[in-house]
Amino acid sequence: MQKLTYNAIGLMSGTSLDGLDIAFCKFQMLPDQKWSWEIIECATKQYPDDIKIRLTKAIHLSGLDLHSLDVDLGRWMGSSVKEFITKKNLTVDFIASHGHTVFHEPENQLTLQIGNPNFLHAVTELPVISDFRTLDIAKGGQGAPLVPIGDALLFHEYDFCINLGGIANLSYENKENKRIAYDICACNILLNTLANSKGLEYDDKGSLAKSGNIIKSLLNEWDDFPYLKKKPPKSLGIEQIEPEILVKIDENKFKVEDMMATAVEHIASQISKTLISAKNEGKALFTGGGAFNSFLIDRIQSKLDHKYELVLGDEKTVNYKEALIFAFLGVLTVRNEWNTLASVTGAHSNSISGQKLGDI
């Protein structure tokens, strides 16, 4: 007989390199066959300087250096989680880890997430579920996005779920009641790169962008990114963003404030167009670090009419929704239930993704 309650830790290491998100979550299957959930404890652990520097260069590392980073990151993740569990005095069923994406090229059937799960398992002495993308890739899918099953089962009261992370992505149910989801455009990868050039981790509330002026020529170049014209299913990786988007940042030619204003306009335009093309009204939940960028949210709202309600999740949900959902993907793996949707990824069938280490 299936368990009805699960206490799991979800781990998320995003492309914006904000740190390792750790969320201890409780999931319960209710009598009406719907799920209740709660993020009980959470924390973001900053990367050690050595690991962060290597992560920023990961796509350019040799095979040996990349493997070394994989091991070191997995060991550090294990130590971070073990410390978190001890400090909070938690009883945990298992850990579900997304890992840190280095390569994502579904057209070549390649995806690589590092943070070696064997070392995570060995250090914590807890069951670990990882590698949620490869099976879908092997079935001809994009291996992304993975969050939509969580949107469908945990956040069904919203018409849209939009995550403003390193990459902005969207999830919604279409007229045929099929879950559709895909990456929209670069988001915090672009904004944080510009903020870093001013010695800032990020642009607090979008104040830097708000002080700048839009550069029309740069906006046109960013809006002309070929990925934006592709039809879903589709997914976006840093190896596409770096040569097509980030390469156009030029401090010798433009002021950082103006490039930031242009980046916000680009992101807001792409997100608003995406919402309008999906449905002509609805309630949209915004999460991820970009949801705290009030200037970006205001620019998105300005491009939509009153039929669209933009909702910001509470602080825990905004910061830890992806970690929460990876914990939930682990629950579905344990229950032997679909956690990767072919309607989203374009694979030839749904999948029960995730490799297990240890007894669950």
Side-chain angles (χ1 to χ4, degrees), residues 8-37:
I9 283 179
L11 302 180
M12 183 65 199
S13 176
T15 48
S16 51
L17 291 174
D18 297 330
L20 177 68
D21 291 338
I22 307 172
F24 174 65
C25 311
K26 180 179 180 179
F27 301 95
Q28 187 168 10
M29 173 65 82
L30 302 176
D32 63 0
Q33 300 301 296
K34 291 184 178 178
W35 287 97
S36 71
W37 60 271

Side-chain angles (χ1 to χ4, degrees), residues 204-264:
D204 188 26
K205 298 183 177 62
S207 58
L208 196 64
K210 195 172 184 179
S211 71
N213 297 303
I214 295 167
I215 306 161
K216 288 188 178 180
S217 60
L218 181 59
L219 180 62
N220 290 338
E221 287 188 58
W222 278 339
D223 285 347
D224 211 31
F225 179 26
Y227 172 86
L228 302 174
K229 297 174 177 60
K230 288 178 66 175
K231 300 290 184 186
K234 60 180 182 176
S235 56
L236 193 53
I238 183 64
E239 63 271 36
Q240 297 155 278
I241 293 168
E242 195 172 74
E244 296 277 359
I245 300 293
L246 300 186
V247 76
K248 293 179 171 62
I249 293 172
D250 189 346
E251 288 185 67
N252 295 319
K253 192 174 178 182
F254 306 118
K255 289 171 61 179
V256 172
E257 293 86 346
D258 293 346
M259 289 190 285
M260 188 72 84
T262 307
V264 165

Side-chain angles (χ1 to χ4, degrees), residues 43-62:
T44 298
K45 183 82 171 178
Q46 299 303 310
Y47 303 108
D49 289 344
D50 170 61
I51 286 179
K52 185 169 184 177
I53 289 167
R54 291 155 72 195
L55 285 172
T56 62
K57 301 174 180 177
I59 61 172
H60 306 296
L61 294 178
S62 70

Side-chain angles (χ1 to χ4, degrees), residues 1-6 29 331-337:
M1 185 175 174
Q2 295 270 36
K3 282 177 62 174
L4 297 178
T5 303
Y6 300 85
M29 173 65 82
V331 168
L332 297 178
T333 300
V334 170
R335 291 173 63 86
N336 208 36
E337 296 177 4

